[in-house]
Amino acid sequence: MSERVPVLRIGQVLLVSIQTDLDDQAVMLLQDDLAAKVVETGAHGVVIDITAVEIVDSFVGRMLSTIASISRMLDAETVVVGMRPAVAITLVELGLSLGGVTTALTLDKGLRALERSRARSLPGVAGESDADGGYGSGGGSGRDAAESDDGVADPDQILR
C-alpha cells in the first residue's frame, strides 16, 4: 500500500515535500490530494520539493507535468524545486521536458518565483520587490535572467 505524501499549507502556498521515491499509486494519490487541497484552500501556488528523490521514471515525470497542469487549471502556479542533476538528466533522456512546469534549484528560489508570478497577475503590483530586494533591485526593469522578453518566467528554465 502506498503512503500519502503530506500537503502542507504555508499562507497561500501549498508545499509538497517528497521524501522518498514514488511508486505510481503514490503519485496518483498525490495528484488527487493536491487538486482537492488547492480547491479547499484557494492556494495560488504549489511548491513540489523533490530534493530527496533520486530516481524518476517516465510515469512520475509525466505526472509532475500533469499535476502542474491541473493546479494551473485551478488557478495555482506550480514550481518544482530541488531537482538533482541525475533526475534532470534522466528526464531529458526520457524525452520529458516538463513543459509548463517552472523549476528552481532551491525552495527559497521557488517561493520567490511564485511571488513574482503572483505579482504579475495582480493589477497594480507588478514590479514590486521581494523581501531580499532580489527582484526589481537597482532600479532596473525588475526582471531577472529567468524571464523572457514578455516578463513571464520561462517554465523550462532552472532559476539560478
Side-chain angles (χ1 to χ4, degrees):
M1 182 173 165
S2 297
E3 290 187 32
R4 289 186 122 82
V5 177
V7 179
L8 306 174
R9 181 178 180 181
I10 302 171
Q12 289 298 306
V13 174
L14 299 177
L15 175 62
V16 178
S17 182
I18 300 173
Q19 296 298 310
T20 180
D21 292 326
L22 298 174
D23 61 36
D24 294 355
Q25 182 64 29
V27 175
M28 296 297 292
L29 291 172
L30 174 60
Q31 174 186 287
D32 295 344
D33 291 347
L34 189 56
K37 199 76 166 183
V38 167
V39 171
E40 174 188 318
T41 63
H44 67 74
V46 174
V47 175
I48 301 175
D49 181 1
I50 61 170
T51 304
V53 175
E54 295 182 13
I55 299 171
V56 295
D57 59 17
S58 60
F59 180 76
V60 172
R62 281 194 311 271
M63 288 307 293
L64 287 174
S65 184
T66 300
I67 288 171
S69 295
I70 291 169
S71 296
R72 194 170 32 257
M73 295 284 286
L74 297 172
D75 197 26
E77 293 296 318
T78 300
V79 178
V80 174
V81 302
M83 187 178 301
R84 293 174 179 232
V87 170
I89 291 168
T90 300
L91 291 173
V92 170
E93 288 176 348
L94 291 172
L96 300 171
S97 66
L98 297 183
V101 177
T102 300
T103 58
L105 291 178
T106 64
L107 176 59
D108 183 55
K109 290 180 179 181
L111 291 171
R112 283 190 280 150
L114 285 175
E115 289 173 5
R116 285 193 304 268
S117 175
R118 184 69 175 168
R120 279 192 298 270
S121 70
L122 297 174
V125 295
E128 290 184 3
S129 64
D130 59 16
D132 67 0
Y135 180 68
S137 63
S141 67
R143 297 186 306 141
D144 65 18
E147 295 176 346
S148 62
D149 290 334
D150 62 0
V152 177
D154 180 353
D156 294 324
Q157 182 174 355
I158 296 175
L159 302 175
R160 302 203 187 273

